[in-house]
Amino acid sequence: MKIGQLTGRLGAKRLFSGGLRSRALSITVIYSVIAVLWIYFSDQALFALLQDPDAFARWSVYKGLFYVMVTAALLYFLMRKAFGALEAAYAALKESERQLNRSRAQLHTIIESAKDAIVSVDDRGRIVVFNEAAARMFHCTSEAALGQPLQTFLPIRPEEQPDTYVSLEAHSRDGRKIPVEAAVSKIRRPEGALYTVIIRDTTQQRSHEAEIQRLNR
């Protein structure tokens, strides 16, 4: 991570950790107190020094202009600091979003290029991931499979047997029964568990095993 990004994130963290609303209230109270004290005591000092109503009125105008210039400079400094922290936070957020999108794209590429079928279901048993290998195995497009229960293709309930490895028969959309081996894994998330099933077609493997047994006999 670059030094500028790190500094921006730390500055944004300091800015937001105390709460913007509480800081705004504190600044307003401090400004009000300083303004009241300045107006009262400066008027008293001017009147004591000048003893002339015309001169007092003229220097009161100068005093007011000076106060406006000072407060404007202070406001500029505070706003520049706050907006700089907001810009750094926004830039850090955009960079995190770009990194997340790159990670998602890489993960999607890995899943879609896998030779084995990969199917993920949410905690309700509904399919949320259905890669290209699964589409070929079950003769079903990803669009048609998403949202369907896993039992449409596999007679298992992953929530009842997480982190297991089973051999069973899968159901293809063309009516075929496919012997497969399935590895089930569970991922815990704040929004609910995610179950991923990696499925391998064992039709050829079983055919080879049957041929070896036949030759042995």
Side-chain angles (χ1 to χ4, degrees), residues 146-186:
L146 294 179
Q148 298 293 322
L150 180 63
Q151 288 72 31
T152 304
F153 306 99
L154 288 174
I156 61 172
R157 294 187 177 276
E159 66 275 9
E160 297 177 357
Q161 47 190 127
D163 303 320
T164 57
Y165 190 83
V166 294
S167 297
L168 66 161
E169 285 189 338
H171 307 298
S172 176
R173 276 291 178 89
D174 59 3
R176 293 183 302 114
K177 291 186 176 182
I178 310 169
V180 298
E181 292 178 346
V184 183
S185 61
K186 179 181 179 180

Side-chain angles (χ1 to χ4, degrees), residues 120-129 158-159 189 192-195:
S120 294
V121 298
D122 57 19
D123 53 358
R124 298 181 301 164
R126 300 292 177 175
I127 295 175
V128 294
V129 174
E159 66 275 9
R189 306 179 302 169
L194 181 71
Y195 300 91

Side-chain angles (χ1 to χ4, degrees), residues 22-68:
S22 61
R23 292 197 175 194
L25 179 60
S26 301
I27 292 174
T28 303
V29 171
I30 294 173
Y31 174 80
S32 300
V33 172
I34 292 175
V36 170
L37 294 176
W38 166 261
I39 293 172
Y40 178 78
F41 286 108
S42 62
D43 285 347
Q44 294 292 326
L46 277 177
F47 187 78
L49 290 173
L50 299 176
Q51 299 291 330
D52 181 6
D54 294 335
F56 175 77
R58 185 170 60 254
W59 279 97
S60 292
V61 173
Y62 297 155
K63 176 176 66 70
L65 293 175
F66 174 77
Y67 181 77
V68 169

Side-chain angles (χ1 to χ4, degrees), residues 53-130:
D54 294 335
F56 175 77
R58 185 170 60 254
W59 279 97
S60 292
V61 173
Y62 297 155
K63 176 176 66 70
L65 293 175
F66 174 77
Y67 181 77
V68 169
M69 293 175 61
V70 171
T71 53
L74 180 61
L75 180 62
Y76 170 77
F77 172 77
L78 293 176
M79 291 180 63
R80 182 180 176 86
K81 184 176 181 180
F83 288 162
L86 288 174
E87 288 178 354
Y90 179 75
L93 180 62
K94 294 296 292 183
E95 178 61 25
S96 298
E97 183 180 358
R98 284 192 291 268
Q99 293 178 1
L100 180 60
N101 289 335
R102 284 195 295 267
S103 298
R104 286 177 175 173
Q106 292 172 357
L107 179 61
H108 178 76
T109 301
I110 293 172
I111 291 175
E112 290 300 321
S113 62
K115 299 299 181 182
D116 294 331
I118 299 177
V119 180
S120 294
V121 298
D122 57 19
D123 53 358
R124 298 181 301 164
R126 300 292 177 175
I127 295 175
V128 294
V129 174
F130 199 82

